[in-house]
Every structure is written in C-alpha cells, then in structure tokens.
Amino acid sequence: MTGPGTADPFDTAALRAGLLTAWRSSPTRLLEDTNSEADLVRSGYRDRVLTELAQNAADAAARTGIPGTLRVWRDGRRLHVANTGAPLDATGVEALTALRASAKTDGVGRFGVGFTAVLAISDDVEVRSTTGSIRFSAAATRDALAAHELPAPESGAPVLRLAWPSTTPPAPGSDTEVVLDLRDGIDARSLLADFRSEAVDLLLELPALVTVVVDGDELTRTELDLDSGLREIRVGNQRWWEQRGASARWLVPVVDDRVAPVQHDVLRAPTRSDEELSLPALVIGDVAMQPDRRRILPGARVEHLAHGYARFVAAMPPARRADLVPAPGFARGEVDARLREAVLADLRAHPWLPAADGGDDLLPDRAALLPGLDAALATALTDVVPGLIDPRLGGTRHVAALTAAGVHRIGLARVAELLTGHDREPRWWYRLYEALAPLVTDPVAAEELASLPVPLTDGRTVTGPRTTVLASDVRGLGDASLPWVRLVHPEAAHPLLTRLGAGTATAEDLLADPALLAAVDRVDGDDPDPEGAAQVADVVLRLAAQVAPSAVPRELGALPLPDVDGELVPADELLLPGAPLADVLVDDSPFATLSSDHVDRYGVDALRAVGVGWGFTVLDVEMPTGPDHELPDEDDWWATLADDPDVLVAVRDLDLVADDRWPEALSLLAADPDTASALADRDGYTAWWLRTHAVLGDQRLGLLRHADDDVFAGLLDPCTHPDAGVFRQCLASDVVDDPELAELLLDRLGDPDREPEPAPVVAAHTALARAAAGGTVDTDDLILPSGVRSLAGTVADAGDALVVDTAWIGAAVPADRVVVGELAVAGALADLLDLARASSEVHGEPVSVGRATTWRREPAAVLAAASAGVPLPTAPLTVHERLVVRCSGAVDGDVDVPWWTDGSGTVHCSPAGLAVAVVALARP
C-alpha cells in the first residue's frame, strides 16, 4: 500500500481492482450495489446532505477534542463543505467505498452509508483532506466498467464504490473538504438557503460542532451554566434551556425570558429523524436507528430517554413548569405515544410542582389543583387546602395536562368542605370571598359553594350563605349580636354571598323583621331579662339611628330601656332627660325618665325613633283599617269619618296634658314641625281631639274662633294664644260640627248682653240650621233660650219672632221680629228654633194698580241682571210708582215694600225694587 506522500496515499487502485474483480465474478452483485445506492439516494438520504456531512464533521472534531467548525460555500456550480478535526484516513476511505459498512466505533457517523446523501445533488464528488484526497465520479465509474467489459446496469452505475486519488488539498484552515459538482437542475441558491435553515438545528444536535458558516453567514453556539442547574444555549439571537440526562438532552426555546413550549417536532437521534413527537420540549437522545437514521430500529426502546425529565421541569421557573407537561391528545405515532407515557411516568414519580406557599416542590399525587386559582385565593387557602400548587400553574389551559401527570384536581365544593370548621376573622372571610368571586361564573359553580362557611355578627360561623342575610347599607353594627336573624358580619359582607343565595336586608328590613318584634316581646315580659333586653336594645337603637323615624315600627315602643332608677320600662313610656313634655303632663303621668347613659351612647334621634319622648309623639300609619291604635277617644273620632283614611297621622298622649298647662302644651305642639303638621288637618284625629278636649281658660278650643275669623264675631270669643295661627284648624270654623258649639251659639244669640252685627247673626242661624238638617245636631238634645236674635240686633221673644222663608215677605215684617238665615235652610231654622215661618203667618196683596210690562222692557231690570250676571226673570211683571201691600195675619195693615209676588205668581215692583227682585228671583 502506498503512503501519504505518494500520488495514491490510500491505495485506491487496489480497492478498485478488488471491487471490479468481484463485480466481474458476480454481475448480480454489481446490480445489487447499483440499486442499493439508488434506493438510499431516492429515499433514505434525499434531504440530508448537510446533515450527513455535518455528522461527519462533528465526528472529526470529537476525535481531536477541539471545537468543530463547518463551512459551506459555493464556487460556480461547485459546492464546498469544509470542516476541522481528524483528517481522512485509510479506514475512512474504505468506509466510503463500502456501501453497507462503516468504520465508526463511536460518534454519530464517520463516512458510513450516510455519505450517500451527496449523490442527491452531485455525480462528481471529491473528498480533500490534509492526509490525502480522493474523488468519486459517475463518468469515471462507467468508463471503468466499459474497460473491464462489465455491462452498466440500466439504472446507472454506483458512484461511491470506485474511488480515484486526487492531489487537491483542502481549503486553508480546514482539515477536510467535500467538493460537490452540482448536477444539472439543482438550484444552488435554494440549496444554500435550506442549509442556512438547518444550521441552527445542527448546532443544537451535534455538541462537537460549535460553528457553522453558510455562504458567509456565521452561526456559533455558546453555552452558559445557570444557577437553576440548566444550561443556556444561544445560537445567534435564539436561546434554549437545556437539561442533560443519562440518555438524552432536553431543550426548550426561550423567548423574551419566557419558556416557549415546542408545538411540533421530531425525535433527534441525534439529528432529526422522521419519528414525529408532540412533546413540549426537544429531545436529543441515544436510540438505535435504522441505517438511514429516519426511523428507530424495530424493538428499540425509547422509554429510557424520559429519565430525568421531571428534574428538567423542576429546574424551570415555577410559573412555566406546567408548560412542559405534555397536553393530552392523540399521539403522532407509536414512538410519540411511548415517549409521552414515559415522560408522564417520570413526572408522576418525582417532585416538581411548586407549592402555593413557596415550600418544597410537591409530588403530583400529593398536590391539589384548583382551576382558576389566583394569588389572592392561594394566599387564603394555603393552610386550608393541603398540597395546593402555585396559582400560576392553575390556568385553564394547564388543567388537563396536570391531571394527566397525576395532580389531583379539586373543585369549589371540595374547597367549601375543607373550609368547614375554620375559625377566622371576618376580614379574612371577606378576602376569601373576594378571591373566590371570579370563579363563580355560572349556577353550577354557585351550587358547589352552597356549604361555604359564613361568619355572623353574633360570633358564630354557619354553613351555607342561603341561610344568612346581608345588611345592605347598614352601618355601625360592629360586633353587635342579632340573635333573631343570621346576619352576616359587616366586615365579611361580600356581594358574592348574595350570588350564592344570601338574602339582603336594609336597616328598615331588620327593624321590621317579625323575629325582632318577637324578641322584644320575649324580653318585655313580667320579669324582663336585663342582659337580653340590653342586647336587643343595643341592636335596635343602632339600627334606628340609620332610618327615618317613620320607618321604625311602632311596636318597638315596647322595647325595654332603663329609667333613671335602673328599672326596665318600655321605650314609649319614657321621656328623655329634660324633655319639655314632662312640664305639661299631669302629675301622675305614666312616663318615667330615661337613663342619661343611653342618651350619651345612642343619641337623641335613635331614642326618639323608638318612642322615647321629648315632645309629643306622632303616630303615622298608612292604610289604617280601624280604631286600634290605642289613641284616647279614637272610636269617637273614627265615627265622624265617612271613609277610612289613607293615612292616620295623630299626636299621642294628648289626654295626659294637665288642664292648666294647655297654653304651654299648644306652644310645644306648634313648635315641632311634625306635630304642627298634624294640627293642620282639620278632619284628622289631632285637630278633632284638641277641638273636643283641649281647654284654654274656661273654654274648649272648638268653642273659640281665630281672631281673624269674623264669621261668628260677637258670638264666639277669639283665641288669644300667640300660636293660634298654627292650630287654627283646632278652633271653631264657619261650620257647626258639634252639639256643644250649637248650644253655645244659641245661648249667645239669645244673650242680650252681646251685640253681634247682623252678618254674624245670619251666619250663625245658617250654620245652626245646616247642622240640624244634616244631623250633626240633634234638636231634641238642645235647650232653646227664651229669646232669639232679630235682624235688628235685638233679642226678640220667641213667640213674636218669624223666620223669613220668602224674600219679599221679609220687607213686610218689622226688623225686630225677623229671624234671618239663608232662605235655603229657612225651614230647618224655623224647626230648630221652634219659630213660625213668615210665609205662613203673613199674607198680602198689592193695593194700587200698576203698569203691566216685561222684564226686558225695564232698563233698571236689564241693568241689574247684567251687573249681577244672572238671567232676567220670566214671571209676569207689574210696575207700580209706589208699591203698597195690604197685609193680614201676623202683620196687619198697609205696608210699603219694594217688591211682592201675588197669589197668581205675578211679580209687583216699585222702580227701586226692580233690581232687588231680579237678583232675588235668580236664586234657586
């Protein structure tokens, strides 16, 4: 064999001679070699040119222990691939020419069958090395076959079986260089672009290779050991984190300092194969592969590659670990299925899950996953839920993967169960509810929390929001106990509880709760419980301070409160210290004085709202249905009503005012807007009761008139109280509405010492007549005076007086005998006063003969009608220069009158009487 310094350092001549002899002795072998080489080119190595050459370069670098460099460039139609490392040797040449054999004893590949990949792009290949160079050529092979009289197969001749020596050395700086003459049809530009895209993968897969330069574009791999135990690999601007195990290397891309799980890749053994994987990380491992390195050998195991995967995941930042758990789904093949299951088995067997409390990593079967868990909820539940994992791993997209890895998934129902029995501050529960709220997105989630514990104001923690009530806008309860209702502690009152079925109640609702009224009844017995009463009173008064007084049920007036002697007394039987009401009540009033401690603690407004007195108390009831409000004489007032009132507004305790203290009591009533408002309703209970019972001087209010009201002037005395304007409706009006007022008016009409003017007299007669006619006054119960008031202002003897019941007769009767009211009630007035009617006692006919005419012809009549706005009469008319009527009966003789109506219905008038008659006849 020739040496390195000869023209054929690797004795290729002997190799050719031996192979040609073999082909000549066995033409079938020539055909087999040709077909095998063609098969590898067409299938096994169709797209692996750079990969196979890079494997050889990595092997060469590994043998010398130096960082390997691979350079690729184009020179016209020639492609150059050069590397550093161990140069070509005789065994390498033998491997290149032996189609089915390789001299490799370690490393990825060293001039084995993979070199066949170059034939995919070239039929003329030269391997240049510092130890010598060889050349392969399809044309030279065909010539050799012809020279040895060997028929070339129809499929062509095997290119890489016969080698010829070459004298061309490798490019400077390289130890070996492969030069390929590109076959026609090969796009060199596109080929280099493909090589550039493969370069990054090759630098990851082949550790011995450090630098790859493709047509001037240089990529270099750098490595840095991290504190986490991972190794960071950089190629250009791309990064990976790597974990090296006994049988495999695991890598995951890192983008913007965040793990970017792989979506789809293949098994790398160590370079890319055709075994598709669905793992979230790249795996580069040692697996027995078929000669073309595209598929694993039948029966080869891949499970060992997963050993250490959990350690790889545990080295990741806690928030990103779940990203590296294989998501459930269909495997992309048998290898993928086996490797996925092995990875999950490794994850199940080792601790790698970060705990929510920051403690040691957890084994999956000791860990609990709550979907939707966030940092706030994790903080609340760390010592409640054992093995709770870091909330950053609880995203919806990770649930299925973590469950497949053996993590126990828990739901809200389990959380509620684990919370049972825990005693925490109300604010802790509020924070828990706040953290749970985002998870309650539908009725199913709400139902899972049906047994969620809830703290109450009384210190208890109960199970289930549906049994509790939240106080809406209720303040100041603090830790007050509301034993009659399961009231959520205000510091724990979160809107989530309402969504979970808790009721809501305002301060008004709580005060109106029948259970509260029952609780008041229980403590307000014959032997009140001081402690229980104080507890109930404390809550009631705190609530009462937050509502309008009208919203406090009047039944709470029974609330027991301590008086100045410490005795428990119902609130509505107590007065505030210094209450002005106390100064106007009778000496034996049932009211006691409230303890001043309660005033200091709860304030006047809350105490007055439950009935503790200061001034008079107003009762306000909507839609009352009867006299059942414990008001004095309420039945009598109710009997005066035609219909039930829509609202009952009444001042209480008026019957307790001392008779000699009414001036002060009226001032107190007038000064308070609430009581003053009640005084303004004349038909209301308060005004009625004061008219009927209140006394100023020696007279009831209902028998006094307001000083500005002159309807009954001279008959009723004016009220001189300075606040009379406020309680005006409690005084007499122009209506006689009670028998005592009627009796008083009759007496004063018959009192000669009084000198009323005619108008009040007529008004009084009219009002009395109407009262009698309407049944307000029973005439049988009246005592009539001996005298009656005449139109002349005198007191006439009842036997001589006449009630004017027709307009024209009044002018014929002397004024000192006439008793006048409105003509419409003349009959009722006569009956009331037991007097004769003028029309039945006085008769008359005109003496003179007048001028027959019509109303339309008389200017004075037309003017009167137009001025009064009334129609002209239609009765026959006779006008007299002087109208004299000859009277008989109670009046005897001739009398001058302005007008008269005779028995036939003809109206007789003097010129001056025309206007009077027009107006009088126009009345109904």
Side-chain angles (χ1 to χ4, degrees), residues 17 39 57 195 205 244 278 288 423 451 496 594 680 834 881:
D39 288 344
F195 286 178
E205 296 163 350
R244 297 189 178 187
S278 59
D423 184 16
S451 61
L496 173 65
L594 178 71
D834 196 18
E881 288 298 323

PDB file of all heavy atoms in Angstrom, residues 17 39 57 195 205 244 278 288 423 451 496 594 680 834 881:
ATOM      1  N   ALA A  17      -9.468  -2.372  -8.004  1.00  0.00           N
ATOM      2  CA  ALA A  17      -9.210  -3.675  -8.645  1.00  0.00           C
ATOM      3  C   ALA A  17      -9.984  -4.783  -7.951  1.00  0.00           C
ATOM      4  O   ALA A  17     -10.588  -5.648  -8.585  1.00  0.00           O
ATOM      5  CB  ALA A  17      -7.711  -3.974  -8.628  1.00  0.00           C
ATOM      6  N   ASP A  39     -31.458   3.435  -4.123  1.00  0.00           N
ATOM      7  CA  ASP A  39     -32.534   3.499  -3.112  1.00  0.00           C
ATOM      8  C   ASP A  39     -32.216   4.501  -2.018  1.00  0.00           C
ATOM      9  O   ASP A  39     -33.076   5.265  -1.553  1.00  0.00           O
ATOM     10  CB  ASP A  39     -32.750   2.111  -2.504  1.00  0.00           C
ATOM     11  CG  ASP A  39     -33.426   1.148  -3.482  1.00  0.00           C
ATOM     12  OD1 ASP A  39     -33.990   1.642  -4.484  1.00  0.00           O
ATOM     13  OD2 ASP A  39     -33.372  -0.072  -3.240  1.00  0.00           O
ATOM     14  N   ALA A  57     -18.434  15.862  10.159  1.00  0.00           N
ATOM     15  CA  ALA A  57     -17.600  16.942  10.693  1.00  0.00           C
ATOM     16  C   ALA A  57     -17.586  16.899  12.217  1.00  0.00           C
ATOM     17  O   ALA A  57     -16.549  17.106  12.853  1.00  0.00           O
ATOM     18  CB  ALA A  57     -18.143  18.289  10.203  1.00  0.00           C
ATOM     19  N   PHE A 195     -29.660  25.032   3.627  1.00  0.00           N
ATOM     20  CA  PHE A 195     -28.566  24.753   4.564  1.00  0.00           C
ATOM     21  C   PHE A 195     -28.579  25.761   5.716  1.00  0.00           C
ATOM     22  O   PHE A 195     -28.303  25.397   6.867  1.00  0.00           O
ATOM     23  CB  PHE A 195     -27.233  24.808   3.835  1.00  0.00           C
ATOM     24  CG  PHE A 195     -26.980  23.610   2.935  1.00  0.00           C
ATOM     25  CD1 PHE A 195     -25.817  23.532   2.158  1.00  0.00           C
ATOM     26  CD2 PHE A 195     -27.889  22.564   2.863  1.00  0.00           C
ATOM     27  CE1 PHE A 195     -25.580  22.430   1.341  1.00  0.00           C
ATOM     28  CE2 PHE A 195     -27.636  21.469   2.047  1.00  0.00           C
ATOM     29  CZ  PHE A 195     -26.500  21.410   1.278  1.00  0.00           C
ATOM     30  N   GLU A 205     -27.939  19.823  17.850  1.00  0.00           N
ATOM     31  CA  GLU A 205     -27.907  18.360  17.873  1.00  0.00           C
ATOM     32  C   GLU A 205     -26.493  17.787  18.011  1.00  0.00           C
ATOM     33  O   GLU A 205     -26.322  16.698  18.559  1.00  0.00           O
ATOM     34  CB  GLU A 205     -28.537  17.827  16.582  1.00  0.00           C
ATOM     35  CG  GLU A 205     -30.011  18.191  16.444  1.00  0.00           C
ATOM     36  CD  GLU A 205     -30.528  18.048  15.026  1.00  0.00           C
ATOM     37  OE1 GLU A 205     -29.696  17.858  14.106  1.00  0.00           O
ATOM     38  OE2 GLU A 205     -31.746  18.136  14.822  1.00  0.00           O
ATOM     39  N   ARG A 244     -29.295  17.965  30.636  1.00  0.00           N
ATOM     40  CA  ARG A 244     -28.658  16.761  30.093  1.00  0.00           C
ATOM     41  C   ARG A 244     -28.857  15.602  31.066  1.00  0.00           C
ATOM     42  O   ARG A 244     -28.507  15.694  32.231  1.00  0.00           O
ATOM     43  CB  ARG A 244     -27.171  16.994  29.852  1.00  0.00           C
ATOM     44  CG  ARG A 244     -26.919  18.080  28.814  1.00  0.00           C
ATOM     45  CD  ARG A 244     -25.472  18.185  28.395  1.00  0.00           C
ATOM     46  NE  ARG A 244     -25.298  19.208  27.376  1.00  0.00           N
ATOM     47  CZ  ARG A 244     -24.171  19.430  26.718  1.00  0.00           C
ATOM     48  NH1 ARG A 244     -23.101  18.691  27.001  1.00  0.00           N
ATOM     49  NH2 ARG A 244     -24.103  20.376  25.818  1.00  0.00           N
ATOM     50  N   SER A 278     -44.976  14.947  19.911  1.00  0.00           N
ATOM     51  CA  SER A 278     -45.870  16.029  20.351  1.00  0.00           C
ATOM     52  C   SER A 278     -45.481  16.531  21.734  1.00  0.00           C
ATOM     53  O   SER A 278     -46.310  17.079  22.454  1.00  0.00           O
ATOM     54  CB  SER A 278     -47.317  15.533  20.364  1.00  0.00           C
ATOM     55  OG  SER A 278     -47.462  14.419  21.240  1.00  0.00           O
ATOM     56  N   ALA A 288     -31.234   3.403  19.062  1.00  0.00           N
ATOM     57  CA  ALA A 288     -30.824   2.596  17.901  1.00  0.00           C
ATOM     58  C   ALA A 288     -31.715   2.936  16.721  1.00  0.00           C
ATOM     59  O   ALA A 288     -32.933   2.791  16.777  1.00  0.00           O
ATOM     60  CB  ALA A 288     -30.923   1.114  18.239  1.00  0.00           C
ATOM     61  N   ASP A 423     -61.950  28.754  62.069  1.00  0.00           N
ATOM     62  CA  ASP A 423     -62.348  29.954  62.811  1.00  0.00           C
ATOM     63  C   ASP A 423     -61.410  31.093  62.427  1.00  0.00           C
ATOM     64  O   ASP A 423     -60.234  31.080  62.797  1.00  0.00           O
ATOM     65  CB  ASP A 423     -62.291  29.677  64.320  1.00  0.00           C
ATOM     66  CG  ASP A 423     -62.793  30.853  65.133  1.00  0.00           C
ATOM     67  OD1 ASP A 423     -63.456  31.742  64.552  1.00  0.00           O
ATOM     68  OD2 ASP A 423     -62.509  30.903  66.353  1.00  0.00           O
ATOM     69  N   SER A 451     -72.228  25.140  50.608  1.00  0.00           N
ATOM     70  CA  SER A 451     -71.899  24.919  52.023  1.00  0.00           C
ATOM     71  C   SER A 451     -70.745  25.806  52.492  1.00  0.00           C
ATOM     72  O   SER A 451     -70.106  25.511  53.501  1.00  0.00           O
ATOM     73  CB  SER A 451     -71.540  23.445  52.248  1.00  0.00           C
ATOM     74  OG  SER A 451     -70.400  23.085  51.482  1.00  0.00           O
ATOM     75  N   LEU A 496     -70.511  38.436  46.746  1.00  0.00           N
ATOM     76  CA  LEU A 496     -70.548  37.033  46.345  1.00  0.00           C
ATOM     77  C   LEU A 496     -71.607  36.270  47.126  1.00  0.00           C
ATOM     78  O   LEU A 496     -72.272  35.383  46.589  1.00  0.00           O
ATOM     79  CB  LEU A 496     -69.167  36.386  46.560  1.00  0.00           C
ATOM     80  CG  LEU A 496     -69.110  34.866  46.342  1.00  0.00           C
ATOM     81  CD1 LEU A 496     -69.402  34.521  44.884  1.00  0.00           C
ATOM     82  CD2 LEU A 496     -67.756  34.307  46.760  1.00  0.00           C
ATOM     83  N   LEU A 594     -85.690  58.437  81.075  1.00  0.00           N
ATOM     84  CA  LEU A 594     -84.657  57.516  80.599  1.00  0.00           C
ATOM     85  C   LEU A 594     -83.321  57.805  81.282  1.00  0.00           C
ATOM     86  O   LEU A 594     -82.973  58.952  81.564  1.00  0.00           O
ATOM     87  CB  LEU A 594     -84.502  57.655  79.079  1.00  0.00           C
ATOM     88  CG  LEU A 594     -83.434  56.791  78.410  1.00  0.00           C
ATOM     89  CD1 LEU A 594     -83.852  55.325  78.390  1.00  0.00           C
ATOM     90  CD2 LEU A 594     -83.169  57.283  76.979  1.00  0.00           C
ATOM     91  N   ALA A 680    -102.658  70.753  61.325  1.00  0.00           N
ATOM     92  CA  ALA A 680    -103.189  71.441  60.148  1.00  0.00           C
ATOM     93  C   ALA A 680    -104.314  70.666  59.470  1.00  0.00           C
ATOM     94  O   ALA A 680    -104.979  71.216  58.579  1.00  0.00           O
ATOM     95  CB  ALA A 680    -102.062  71.687  59.156  1.00  0.00           C
ATOM     96  N   ASP A 834    -137.913  76.497  66.771  1.00  0.00           N
ATOM     97  CA  ASP A 834    -139.343  76.372  67.093  1.00  0.00           C
ATOM     98  C   ASP A 834    -140.070  77.698  66.862  1.00  0.00           C
ATOM     99  O   ASP A 834    -140.840  78.181  67.715  1.00  0.00           O
ATOM    100  CB  ASP A 834    -139.514  75.912  68.549  1.00  0.00           C
ATOM    101  CG  ASP A 834    -140.927  75.381  68.829  1.00  0.00           C
ATOM    102  OD1 ASP A 834    -141.635  75.063  67.833  1.00  0.00           O
ATOM    103  OD2 ASP A 834    -141.299  75.293  70.000  1.00  0.00           O
ATOM    104  N   GLU A 881    -145.751 102.879  40.680  1.00  0.00           N
ATOM    105  CA  GLU A 881    -144.995 104.050  41.094  1.00  0.00           C
ATOM    106  C   GLU A 881    -144.673 103.956  42.572  1.00  0.00           C
ATOM    107  O   GLU A 881    -143.596 104.333  43.019  1.00  0.00           O
ATOM    108  CB  GLU A 881    -145.801 105.327  40.817  1.00  0.00           C
ATOM    109  CG  GLU A 881    -145.914 105.688  39.342  1.00  0.00           C
ATOM    110  CD  GLU A 881    -144.560 105.949  38.744  1.00  0.00           C
ATOM    111  OE1 GLU A 881    -143.688 106.534  39.425  1.00  0.00           O
ATOM    112  OE2 GLU A 881    -144.333 105.545  37.574  1.00  0.00           O
TER     113      GLU A 881
END
